[in-house]
Structures are given as C-alpha cells and as structure tokens.
C-alpha cells in the first residue's frame, strides 16, 4: 500500500537506497546525532494532501499520494513541498506521536516548490491538553559546508518517521532554470540547491534536512532517477523568505522584466572586459518590459538600480533573478548596460511575474474544465484574452461540440469570455435560453487558428 | 464404373472453367517489369544507410516507379546515392546502375532511371497501364510483392478483388486486403495490366476507423495508374505546388451553419488562419471568412470529405492562376479574386552549405521553420542543420536546430542562399586574421526564448 500511495512522486524524487555509512558516523558523532535528532524528530510530519485535480474535464478529489513536512512554529505552521500540497486545500498530517490531525494550506510558491501548512491545534490539544505542539528551529543554510554531516527526515515510500544520514555533497548546485513541477508550474529559477547523499526516496518530499545542531537547513525536494545518493534540498534561508511573505500576504509576489540571463564564463575577450563583471542577456521576451526598454540579446548588464551584478558562472544566476524579483511591481528601475563597447543606461518598468497556469474550475453542465489565462500564457499563445480549456469529459456537451484541451475560448454566443467568471455566466445564459437557441456558437483559438464551434444544448 | 469416371472429369473441367483468368500468364507478363531497387542515404557524418524496395518499370527507357516513402521527406535529393535496379524477373537477375529522377510527395511516388544498358541487347519491358476507373466490385486483382534477397528476391503475388472506385476527394480504388502488394508494388487486373499501385491510406481515415472499431477493416487502397500519367509523361525535377496560404480550415456543418445564421445545408469552408505574406493575405481574405464558391462551383463543404475535395480542387490551380472565390464575411457576401501562389520550399528543398573548418552544415530557413517558431517569415538567420561531433561549435554548446542570427557584432541579413555569402565572408575574415575567440548568437525554441551566446575557440590550420 505504501508503494502505491507514493507512486505519484516517483518521477520527481527517485533516489536509491543508501549503503550503510551510518556506522562511521555512529562512532564519531554519536552524541551529536542523537541530540540533533531529538530537536527535530518530534516536529516531523507525514503529509497526506487532499488534492483537487482536474482530469478529463472534471474535478477529481484524491488523497492517494503522501509526502513529508516539518512543523517550525508553536502556532502549528509547517513547511512542505508545493509538489506535495500545492494543489490541496486540506491535508491530513500524521505526527511523531502517530496521531492524525487536520491542516490547511496557508499559501504555496511553485517557484521554490514550497507550501506552508497550518495544523489544527485544537485537535492537537484534544490529545495533548496544555502541551505545546513540538516544532523545529529553522537554521542558517548559508553557513553549511561541503562534507558537513546532515540527516534527512521524512516518509520515504510512505514509511513515516524515517531518518537517513549522509553529508552535504555540495552547497550551491545549479540545476538550470528550465525545470517544471509534475503539475506544470515553472520552478527553480531563484535558487541553487543543497546536494546531499543522505538517502532521499519518493515520499521524502517536503521533509527537513537537519544539521548536527538540530536545526532545519533545507527542505528535501528532489532526487535523480536511476542515480545513487543524489538528493537535492531547498536552502532554508530561501524558505524563510517565502514563509514570511506567505504569512504576511498569503502568497509570494515577484517582479519580472522578461529576460533570460547567461553567465559570462570565458566570454570576457568578446566583451573586452578587463575584470569579470556583469551578466549577459541571452534573450528578451517579446513585448516584455525589457523589450520595451530597448534591452537586446547580447547586452551585458552591469548594474540594476545601482546594484552591481555579476555572473561569471551558472551558479551566480539565481541571485540576479532574485534581485529583479524582489523589486516592487510596476516600479521604474535603471539598468546600466554595455553594448558594443559602450556603456548606456536604460529605464525599465517591472511587471508581476506570473506562472504559466491560472485558476482552474470545472463547469459540470458542459463537462469541461477551464483555466484563467495568465499574462505570460497570453503572451505565449498570442491571444489577448479568453479561458483555456484543460479537459473535456467524453459524451458531454463540450466534447460533442468538438472543444478540446488547449483551446482558448473567446466567445460563447454573443458574449465575450475573457475570464473564468465570464465564461461561467455565458454558459449559464446559453443553457437558460436553450428553448430558443438549441445550438450555441463558441469562438475559439486553437494554436493560432480561429474556429467557430457549435455546442448543441438540446439533442434533436 | 465408366460413367463415374467421366463425371469426375466433367466436374474438374467445370471447376477449371469457373476461374476467369489463368494466373500464370498474368504473372509472367509482369515479371520482367518488376525490379528490386536499392540505394544508400548518406548522413552528414558520412555514414550510409542502405534502403531496398520494389520498383516497376514504366517506360522502355528504364524509368522505374517506387515508393517516395523509402526516401525520408526531410532529406534532400542529393543525399541519396548508389541507386541500383536488380532485374529480379530476368533469368540471370542482373543488377544495373540507376539514377534518381524525381519524387512527388502528393502521389507518394519516386522515379529513378536505369542508366546502365542491359547486356546481350536485352530491352526493358514496361508494364501495360490499365484503367482503374473501369474496375467493378468483385473484379480480380493481383498484388505484386517482392521478398528480400534471403528468399532469392522472389516476386510474389496475392489474389484479391476490387471493392470500389471512388472519385472524390481524390481518385482511388478500394480493394480487398487480399489484393495487397508490397508498398508501391503494382496491382494487376485480370488482363495483366497495372490498374494502380498499392499505397498507404492517403486519406488517413482508415487507420482511425480501425482503431475506433477495434478490428481490421479488410480493405486496402491503390493509387490509379492514371494519376501518375502527367508525371510520367514529363518527369520534372521539381513540380510547383500550388497553395493559397491558409491553415486551420473548418467545414460548416449543420450546427455551425445554424450558429452562423445560415440555412442548415449551406456548407462552406471556414478559414481559421491566414498565413503572413501568402496569397490569401494578399487577396484580402481574413480569418473567419467562409468560402462558399470556387470559380462558380458551390462545393457545399459539410464534412471532412468535402473539406478534402475543396483542398484537392484548390491544388488543381496552377501557380499564378487566378481563382474567383465567393465568400461570406459576417452577413456580407463578397467576391474575392486570389492569385494562387507557390507552396514554400520544404526542408529537403532548402539549400545547404557546409563549412568544413567549423564542422557545420547550415541551411536556408524555410517558411515552415519560421512558422513553427512563431517568427515572421523574414526572420534573419541560418538554420543549423548539423554540428559535427568534436567541432569548435559543438564544444561551445551549439546544437542542431539552433538558428544562427549573429556572429561577433554582425547581424546576419536574410535567410536564404545570399546569407551563406555573408556567413562565408565573415568566417573567411576571422580565418584570415586567425582569430582564436569569437561568438555566435543563436536563437532556440519558440520566439527565440532560449537564446544563447556561444563562444567558439578556434584553432585555424
């Protein structure tokens, strides 16, 4: 059963079993390990998300997969991965005491693959009157060193309350910035990773990486399929920033100017630089703030808002992306760039960074699931507005009217449908008028082609 | 006792008489015309892949028809070499040299010519064309196949029947599965004439039908010989293909007609997309226009078959010919005259250029390349077709599929053969100055979203 429950995560975190290196540590650092364990282990939780997924044109609620998490606050706040609980509203958490209590998702951030949970303390108090819920302390991931011993805690393959041990293999692993989560969100642009050989398996997702001071230094997030002892943990210092934003606003907002950066490497000759400074612009997104400001591929950015930026190596890029992300949305920023040997200054107005997917809902009357379009998605699809079809249920109205996943619906009957809300109203209006008009026209864009579909509301 | 013997003989004779055709003579007639074609496809790294198929001699000068599917569509003609025709139906089965002539992706036929004269004054025997349109349901047909060399290149046959000759959307003969031939093998009628060639379902419908009905539809399709007539009369190196430059066509079904406020049986072709810089755009057509008539003919396009018939109809125009369309735009009826254009070059027709120092093969950017990447047709750059393993660009991170847009501080201009000249000039300057380090700018992915600056560390000889 445990295997089955965790199989959803198999593609995301797959790590092979760790060979018995524990003995080595047992003799050397035995006392420290026990102390550190006792500080975090009681705060370890197993997270079973009650997920709302949209499949084949309808909403499906499922609690099949599990992950891990750690309570970090006396109020019962806990951290886990976005890919564990990001699409859940409710979770069921199994505590170190083996009791199950409910929790809700306070906020989530796909870019860093994090979700913040709030456990129901009333339920806790029912079992443990006047006893505070155990929580772990978040440490400082900047102080981590390569080869420092660490423990990974969680529920590998659903086996709750498991501890594995290893060392920090690398403190600034770059995995590129083009990763996506299993549910399609972009991730990983704003951080490097802690690499560890502590065994991490499917089900470890969201669990803590713990140093010998007994502090959480990372959130275990990823593994590598087919590899041995390659696990990746999100540095806790990044998690702390995400937590404070989520507790304050319920979400993390970031700015974007629409550029893709490239490290300098050995290109200094070409740019006639005497010292290594600046970061290269590899590409500029069409109709983005950067394009409007006149930024071009091949420009070298020397400073952003007076702050010098420099990326000689790939590992330096997340910091620069983060610097841009932290600027206020819709604020004017100065970019000092070098182009063709000349310095110049450009002014760019930031915009909000959006994910590729918006809010999703099922419209059961038609057997269809649709999403709001985000700004970046509109740009990708080259549409001004509309709702994005994510699925249709076989045999229902939408499917029979030849609507398909990937279509952008722009109009139902004579009513434009720029948003999910407008679409629902238009569908309801069409159904209400079905005695008069048995067929309603639906205008869609499919991969840049315009189609007029006919949805038959009343069978002949 | 005697009576009985006679009866048996009489019954045997009757059985023999029921057979309308003797198969032996029919096969003997076609056997000298069947050849085994072989050739090699040369990849950019020099490796060769050998391909073998069945061919049919169609004229006395040794013109051979074979399946165009044997020649991968994206590979240019000059990459196919060492054509040979083994005369498997001849007594000593000689293997003769041959040369590529042309191929036609619409008809799925390729033509080669046997260039080597047979010994002893032997002559080529072309097949006799038959008329597929005359076939009646139940007429005998013989599909000719070829077993590989391990079976002594044996010419095989299978016996089946015609099911139906259909005219629209394109002339085809549906035959029973038992009349199957090797891909593009000839299919003979009872007189031993070639009624057509066995082809993969050109309407792409049968496979879907089979999948839906979870079984085998016991039918096959042959391409009537007559459809090759024009091409065989004058085998052209390149045939201009007509197009109007639209995509995402939709037929106006009964329900769509209702939605558009038209009578139920109105029909029409709803245009989904007008491609930039192409004839339809120049004629002023717009997305969501409904084409009703072509040169006065009301096509009543109400289903998939109607849409295909419309497309076949449009292909019949010559490049430069004018077509008179009647369209509906909203409630308004309009006359539109469109000058049919030439379909843009495909990947295999794009010119290529190899730079041996850099280990690169570049090619012209095709219209379809720009379309697939959401770039305008005039997008400037050259397509990186091949990057040699271990070459300087490869070590710098260049990949096949990149579009080279800029070298050092110079933007490439245009995307055709003229751009090769610009490229050559820049590279020869770099080479002359023995420049060791320089950069290539490449665009990658849709709208160049994954562009990169690539450092080349050169070691000029």
């Amino acid at each position: 059963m445990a295997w089955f429950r965790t199989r959803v995560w198999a593609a995301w975190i797959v790590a092979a079993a760790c060979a018995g290196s524990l003995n080595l540590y047992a003799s050397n650092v035995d006392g420290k390990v026990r102390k550190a364990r006792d500080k975090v282990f009681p705060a370890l939780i197993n997270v079973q998300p009650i997920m709302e997924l949209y499949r084949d044109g309808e909403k499906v609620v499922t609690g099949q997969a599990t992950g891990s998490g750690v309570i970090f606050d006396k109020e019962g706040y806990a951290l886990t991965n976005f890919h564990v609980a990001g699409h859940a509203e409710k979770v069921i958490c199994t505590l170190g005491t083996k009791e199950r209590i409910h929790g809700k998702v306070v906020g989530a951030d796909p870019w860093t693959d994090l979700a913040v949970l709030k456990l129901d303390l009333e339920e806790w108090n029912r079992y443990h009157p006047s006893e505070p819920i155990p929580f772990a302390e978040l440490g400082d991931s900047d102080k981590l060193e390569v080869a420092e011993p660490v423990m990974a805690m969680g529920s590998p393959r659903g086996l709750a309350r498991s501890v594995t041990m290893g060392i920090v293999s690398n403190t600034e692993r770059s995995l590129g910035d083009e990763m996506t989560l299993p549910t399609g969100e972009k991730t990983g642009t704003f951080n490097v990773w802690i690499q560890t050989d502590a065994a991490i398996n499917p089900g470890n997702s969201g669990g803590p990486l713990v140093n010998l001071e007994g502090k959480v230094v990372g959130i275990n997030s990823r593994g590598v399929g087919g590899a041995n002892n390659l696990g990746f943990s999100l540095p806790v210092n990044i998690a702390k920033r995400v937590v404070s934003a989520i507790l304050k606003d319920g979400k993390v907002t970031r700015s974007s100017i629409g550029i893709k950066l490239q490290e300098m490497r050995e290109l200094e000759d070409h740019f006639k630089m005497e010292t290594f400074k600046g970061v290269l612009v590899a590409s500029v997104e069409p109709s983005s703030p950067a394009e409007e400001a006149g930024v071009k591929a091949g420009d070298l950015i020397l400073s952003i808002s007076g702050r010098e930026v420099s990326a000689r190596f790939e590992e330096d890029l997340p910091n620069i992306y983060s610097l841009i992300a932290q600027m206020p949305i819709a604020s004017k920023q100065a970019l000092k760039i070098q182009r063709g040997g000349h310095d110049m200054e450009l002014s760019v107005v930031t915009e909000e960074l959006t994910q590729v997917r918006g809010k999703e809902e099922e419209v059961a009357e038609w057997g269809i699931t649709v999403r709001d379009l985000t700004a970046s998605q509109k740009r990708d699809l080259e549409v001004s507005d509309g709702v994005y079809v994510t699925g249709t249920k076989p045999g229902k109205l939408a499917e029979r009217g030849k609507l398909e996943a990937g279509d952008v619906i722009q109009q139902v009957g004579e009513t434009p449908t720029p948003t999910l809300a407008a679409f629902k109203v238009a569908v309801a209006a069409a159904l209400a008028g079905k005695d008069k008009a048995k067929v309603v026209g639906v205008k869609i864009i499919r991969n840049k082609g315009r189609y007029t579909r006919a949805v038959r509301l009343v069978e002949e | 006792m005697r009576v009985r013997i006679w009866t048996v003989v009489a019954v045997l004779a009757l059985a023999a008489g029921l057979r309308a055709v003797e198969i032996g003579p029919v096969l003997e007639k076609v056997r000298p015309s069947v050849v085994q074609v072989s050739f090699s496809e040369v990849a950019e790294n020099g490796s060769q892949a050998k391909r073998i198929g069945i061919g049919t001699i169609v004229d006395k000068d040794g013109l051979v028809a074979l399946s165009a599917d044997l020649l991968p569509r994206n590979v240019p003609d000059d990459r196919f070499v060492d054509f040979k025709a083994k005369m498997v139906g001849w007594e000593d089965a000689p293997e003769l040299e041959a040369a590529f002539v042309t191929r036609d992706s619409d008809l799925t036929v390729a033509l080669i010519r046997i260039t080597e004269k047979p010994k002893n004054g032997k002559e080529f025997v072309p097949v006799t064309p038959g008329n597929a349109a005359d076939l009646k349901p139940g007429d005998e047909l013989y599909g000719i196949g070829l077993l590989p060399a391990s079976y002594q290149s044996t010419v095989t046959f299978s016996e089946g029947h015609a099911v139906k000759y259909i005219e629209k959307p394109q002339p085809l003969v549906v035959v029973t599965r038992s009349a199957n031939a090797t891909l593009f093998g000839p299919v003979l009628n009872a007189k031993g004439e070639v009624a057509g060639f066995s082809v993969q379902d050109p309407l792409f419908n049968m496979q879907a039908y089979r999948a839906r009905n979870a079984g085998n539809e016991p039918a096959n399709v042959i391409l009537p010989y007559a459809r090759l007539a024009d091409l065989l009369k004058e085998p052209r190196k390149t045939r201009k293909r007509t197009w109007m430059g639209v995509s995402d066509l939709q037929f106006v079904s009964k329900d769509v007609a209702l939605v558009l406020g038209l009578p139920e049986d109105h029909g029409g072709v709803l245009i989904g997309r007008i491609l930039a810089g192409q004839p339809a755009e120049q004629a002023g057509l717009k997305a969501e226009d409904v084409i009703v008539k072509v040169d006065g003919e009301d096509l009543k396009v109400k289903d998939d078959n109607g849409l295909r018939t419309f497309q076949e109809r449009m292909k019949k125009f010559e490049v430069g010919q004018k077509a008179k369309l009647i369209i509906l735009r909203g409630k308004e009826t309009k006359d539109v005259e469109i000058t049919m254009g030439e379909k843009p070059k495909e990947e295999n027709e794009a010119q290529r250029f190899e730079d041996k120092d850099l280990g690169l093969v570049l090619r012209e950017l095709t219209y379809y390349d720009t379309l697939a990447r959401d770039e305008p047709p005039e997008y400037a750059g050259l397509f990186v077709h091949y990057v040699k393993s271990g070459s300087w660009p490869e070590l710098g991170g260049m990949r096949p599929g990149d579009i080279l847009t800029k070298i050092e501080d110079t933007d490439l201009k245009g995307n055709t053969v003229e751009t090769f000249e610009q490229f050559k000039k820049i590279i020869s300057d770099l080479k002359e100055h023995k420049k060791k380090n320089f950069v290539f700018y490449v665009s990658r992915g849709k709208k160049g979203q994954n562009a990169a600056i690539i450092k080349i560390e050169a070691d000029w000889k």
Side-chain angles (χ1 to χ4, degrees):
Chain A
M1 194 60 196
W3 297 85
F4 187 69
R5 289 177 132 209
T6 55
R7 85 191 151 137
V8 171
W9 310 123
W12 190 240
I13 290 197
V14 180
C18 174
S21 55
L22 263 170
N23 285 344
L24 183 72
Y25 290 105
S27 56
N28 291 340
V29 288
D30 188 35
K32 274 189 165 181
V33 169
R34 284 165 194 252
K35 271 190 195 162
R37 173 201 63 192
D38 290 345
K39 286 185 179 171
V40 181
F41 197 59
L44 178 68
I45 54 174
N46 172 280
V47 181
Q48 184 185 5
I50 311 299
M51 281 202 282
E52 293 178 352
L53 297 175
Y54 294 84
R55 268 190 218 138
D56 299 330
E58 64 181 337
K59 184 157 97 175
V60 185
V61 178
T62 163
Q64 274 196 352
T66 68
S68 310
V70 60
I71 306 168
F72 61 86
D73 175 287
K74 64 178 186 330
E75 303 297 328
Y77 287 104
L79 266 168
T80 185
N81 276 139
F82 182 96
H83 77 261
V84 172
H87 289 286
E89 280 178 20
K90 285 181 282 187
V91 292
I92 298 169
C93 298
T94 310
L95 307 173
T97 53
K98 299 181 193 151
E99 284 136 357
R100 281 153 62 92
I101 65 174
H102 290 84
K104 59 177 190 185
V105 180
V106 183
D109 180 43
W111 293 103
T112 53
D113 195 6
L114 287 174
V116 177
L117 313 174
K118 170 91 168 71
L119 275 55
D120 188 336
L121 289 191
E122 277 184 28
E123 281 183 46
W124 164 260
N125 287 329
R126 196 155 18 130
Y127 305 125
H128 305 276
S130 70
E131 190 185 327
I133 196 160
F135 66 92
E137 197 181 325
L138 303 183
D140 184 352
S141 50
D142 289 346
K143 287 191 184 146
L144 267 187
E145 286 177 27
V146 172
E148 184 178 334
V150 280
M151 285 179 274
M153 298 184 182
S155 313
R157 299 277 184 193
L159 305 171
R161 303 178 310 284
S162 296
V163 181
T164 58
M165 188 157 182
I167 56 174
V168 172
S169 307
N170 191 293
T171 54
E172 48 160 12
R173 177 66 62 213
S174 168
L175 299 176
D177 62 350
E178 284 167 44
M179 293 187 293
T180 50
L181 293 171
T183 40
E185 293 86 354
K186 290 184 188 170
T187 192
T189 309
F190 303 102
N191 62 278
V192 289
W193 304 83
I194 302 164
Q195 183 188 326
T196 179
D197 69 348
I200 290 180
N201 283 281
N204 270 108
S205 281
L209 187 75
V210 179
N211 66 7
L212 289 195
E213 287 175 41
K215 288 179 181 168
V216 177
V217 288
I219 299 298
N220 301 325
S221 305
R222 328 189 35 146
V224 177
N228 280 338
N229 307 339
L230 288 178
F232 301 98
S233 196
L234 183 94
V236 79
N237 288 17
I238 288 173
K240 284 195 272 192
R241 290 207 289 270
V242 170
V243 165
S244 66
I246 286 177
L247 293 187
K248 189 162 160 273
D249 304 321
K251 62 173 184 173
V252 188
T253 43
R254 291 187 181 84
S255 278
S256 162
I257 59 174
I259 50 175
K260 194 172 160 63
L261 300 173
Q262 184 179 326
E263 67 278 11
M264 187 73 158
R265 288 223 160 232
E266 299 84 18
L267 288 168
E268 73 280 1
D269 287 356
H270 176 68
F271 290 96
K272 299 161 190 85
M273 306 295 289
E274 283 168 18
T275 53
F276 295 98
K277 55 178 183 179
V279 58
L280 283 170
V281 177
S283 68
V284 180
E285 214 179 304
S287 43
S288 66
E291 192 191 63
E292 274 161 39
V295 180
K296 290 194 160 55
D299 284 351
L300 188 67
I301 301 181
L302 299 172
S303 77
I304 303 173
S305 291
R307 285 184 61 176
E308 284 192 3
V309 289
S310 192
R312 204 175 148 198
F313 306 110
E314 195 184 349
E315 289 82 356
D316 302 327
L317 296 176
N319 269 337
I320 304 176
Y321 282 122
S322 298
L323 176 69
I324 297 169
Q326 282 159 28
M327 292 169 170
I329 292 159
S331 64
K332 205 179 200 180
Q333 304 290 345
L335 290 183
K336 192 172 159 197
I337 65 162
Q338 194 189 81
R339 183 184 299 164
H342 302 285
D343 284 4
M344 51 199 287
E345 196 157 302
L346 299 174
S347 173
V348 61
V349 180
T350 63
E351 64 175 18
E352 182 171 358
L353 176 74
T354 54
Q355 265 292 347
V356 286
R357 39 181 297 171
K359 188 174 180 260
E360 187 164 9
E361 270 192 56
E362 175 188 1
V363 181
E365 301 92 319
W366 277 23
I368 189 170
T369 53
V370 287
R371 257 191 230 153
D372 268 328
L373 285 176
T374 65
S376 65
Q377 206 178 8
K378 284 178 192 173
R379 212 138 58 193
D380 277 356
L381 297 167
E382 285 182 24
V383 295
S384 52
D385 52 33
V387 290
Y388 184 82
V389 179
T390 54
T392 56
K393 193 172 177 181
K396 296 287 182 183
L397 265 55
E399 190 256 355
R400 277 149 76 167
K402 294 202 215 168
L403 296 174
E404 287 173 16
D407 290 347
V408 174
I409 300 178
Q410 295 200 305
Q411 193 174 318
V412 174
E414 297 303 314
T415 317
T417 55
T419 60
L420 226 163
F423 176 70
K424 279 159 63 183
V425 170
V427 164
L431 286 169
K434 69 181 176 186
D435 296 337
K436 278 189 199 151
K438 296 184 173 67
V439 179
V440 66
V442 178
K443 288 198 172 184
I444 62 163
I445 294 187
R446 176 178 297 171
N447 190 21
K448 298 202 179 64
R450 291 181 176 277
Y451 290 78
T452 299
R453 293 310 200 198
V455 171
R456 183 160 274 281
L457 306 165
V458 182
E459 281 308 304
E460 286 176 290
Chain B
M1 195 63 183
R2 291 205 152 194
V3 178
R4 273 198 198 161
I5 289 169
W6 282 118
T7 320
V8 172
V9 171
V11 169
L12 280 174
L14 199 65
L18 278 174
R19 182 179 285 289
V21 195
E22 289 287 340
I23 305 170
V26 171
L27 287 178
E28 280 319 309
K29 197 173 165 192
V30 76
R31 195 184 291 275
S33 313
V34 176
V35 302
Q36 176 185 285
V37 176
S38 67
F39 60 93
S40 292
E41 180 194 333
V42 186
E44 265 72 15
N45 64 7
S47 74
Q48 298 199 357
K50 193 166 178 180
R51 294 174 191 277
I52 292 174
I54 190 172
T56 306
I57 298 181
V58 288
D59 78 9
K60 63 179 174 34
D61 298 325
L63 194 65
V64 174
L66 61 148
S67 170
D69 294 349
L70 288 173
L71 297 83
R73 217 172 149 158
N74 58 343
V75 177
D77 298 345
D78 61 10
R79 289 272 162 195
F80 302 111
V81 298
D82 290 342
F83 281 90
K84 295 209 165 56
K86 191 176 171 69
M87 317 304 290
V88 291
W90 294 14
E91 213 160 273
D92 49 347
E95 190 164 57
L96 304 177
E97 298 282 333
F100 178 79
V101 177
T102 189
R103 56 177 157 167
D104 186 307
S105 53
D106 279 350
L107 297 170
T108 70
V109 66
L111 297 175
I112 63 168
R113 191 174 291 286
I114 306 174
T115 48
E116 189 182 342
K117 287 261 173 301
K119 287 196 180 110
N120 308 329
K122 234 179 150 177
E123 290 192 356
F124 298 120
V125 185
V127 291
T128 314
N131 189 356
D134 287 348
L135 287 172
K136 305 270 180 310
D139 281 357
E140 276 107 342
L141 289 173
Y142 305 97
I144 303 300
L146 190 60
L147 291 177
S150 46
Y151 293 91
Q152 300 181 350
S153 304
T154 304
V155 176
T156 66
F157 70 96
S158 62
E159 193 179 353
H161 301 276
V163 176
K164 195 178 183 184
Y165 174 81
I166 56 171
E167 184 67 41
K168 281 181 178 180
Q170 48 175 269
L172 287 173
V173 188
V174 179
V175 301
T176 58
R177 186 151 272 264
S178 51
N180 196 10
T182 299
L183 185 60
F184 226 86
V187 178
L188 312 179
N189 63 16
K191 287 185 248 170
E193 301 160 344
V194 175
F197 298 90
S198 195
V199 289
Q200 281 170 358
D201 170 20
L203 301 179
F204 304 107
N205 272 344
M206 224 180 283
Q207 213 171 1
Y209 179 83
R210 268 179 221 146
R212 270 202 307 276
N213 294 282
N216 258 350
E217 178 57 22
N220 224 308
V221 180
I222 69 174
L223 180 83
Y225 192 103
R227 293 213 20 218
L228 302 183
D230 283 350
L231 186 69
L232 296 183
K233 217 181 293 163
E234 189 199 343
R236 282 155 293 184
K237 195 90 196 159
T238 51
R239 189 169 69 97
K240 286 186 174 178
R241 287 156 303 172
T242 317
W243 90 327
M244 53 192 298
V246 293
S247 73
D248 297 82
L249 300 181
Q250 183 188 348
F251 56 84
V252 175
S253 65
K254 193 180 80 180
D255 279 359
V256 172
L258 279 177
V259 165
L260 297 175
L262 300 170
E264 278 189 6
D265 65 340
H266 186 279
V269 178
L270 190 50
I271 305 175
R273 187 176 179 191
I274 307 284
L275 299 173
Q278 299 300 317
E281 187 187 69
Q282 281 147 14
L285 284 170
K286 291 195 163 67
E288 296 191 39
D289 282 350
V290 179
I291 301 174
V292 184
K293 289 185 183 179
V294 179
D295 276 0
E297 189 185 348
D298 190 345
L299 296 167
K300 294 263 179 210
V301 178
K302 285 178 283 193
D303 53 21
D304 267 328
N305 228 12
L307 202 53
R308 286 227 171 76
T309 306
F310 165 78
Q311 283 163 326
E312 292 296 322
R313 174 79 186 81
M314 297 312 285
K315 275 189 203 162
K316 289 208 176 86
F317 286 101
E318 296 289 326
V319 173
Q321 202 181 344
K322 289 183 166 62
K324 285 199 170 68
L325 307 178
I326 293 182
I327 62 149
L328 270 177
R329 181 173 298 163
K331 299 269 171 254
E332 216 180 324
T333 304
K334 279 180 175 290
D335 290 326
V336 175
E337 192 178 71
I338 177 170
T339 307
M340 297 300 282
E342 185 177 351
K343 200 160 187 262
K345 268 187 201 179
E346 300 215 13
E347 184 186 336
N348 67 35
E349 297 159 322
Q351 296 289 315
R352 300 182 185 204
F353 166 73
E354 182 173 5
D355 185 306
K356 289 236 184 316
D357 287 323
L358 291 167
L360 283 181
V361 177
L362 302 171
R363 68 162 171 78
E364 296 174 272
L365 211 53
T366 66
Y367 182 78
Y368 309 103
D369 291 328
T370 57
L371 206 60
R373 285 159 196 258
D374 290 346
E375 301 285 9
E378 65 276 8
Y379 188 76
L382 292 172
F383 191 95
V384 179
H385 177 75
Y386 172 72
V387 184
K388 191 177 172 188
S389 166
S391 65
W392 312 326
E394 200 220 19
L395 297 176
M398 200 167 200
R399 308 177 201 158
D402 285 350
I403 295 176
L404 177 66
T405 56
K406 186 176 171 183
I407 303 168
E408 289 284 84
D409 296 324
T410 313
D411 287 311
L412 292 183
K413 291 188 173 52
N415 54 25
T416 60
V417 276
E418 281 122 62
T419 317
F420 289 153
E421 297 309 313
Q422 191 195 358
F423 174 83
K424 286 183 208 166
K425 173 86 178 56
I426 300 171
I427 298 298
S428 74
D429 282 353
L430 291 169
K431 187 175 180 177
E432 196 179 313
H433 294 101
K434 293 252 184 288
K435 190 139 170 72
K436 281 205 154 57
N437 290 320
F438 50 94
V439 293
F440 282 170
Y441 289 73
V442 298
S443 151
R444 229 170 241 173
K446 281 199 168 188
K447 294 179 195 160
Q449 268 166 359
N450 293 311
I453 300 164
I454 285 164
K455 183 173 182 179
I456 310 290
E457 289 183 41
D459 183 14
W460 301 105
K461 294 268 152 44

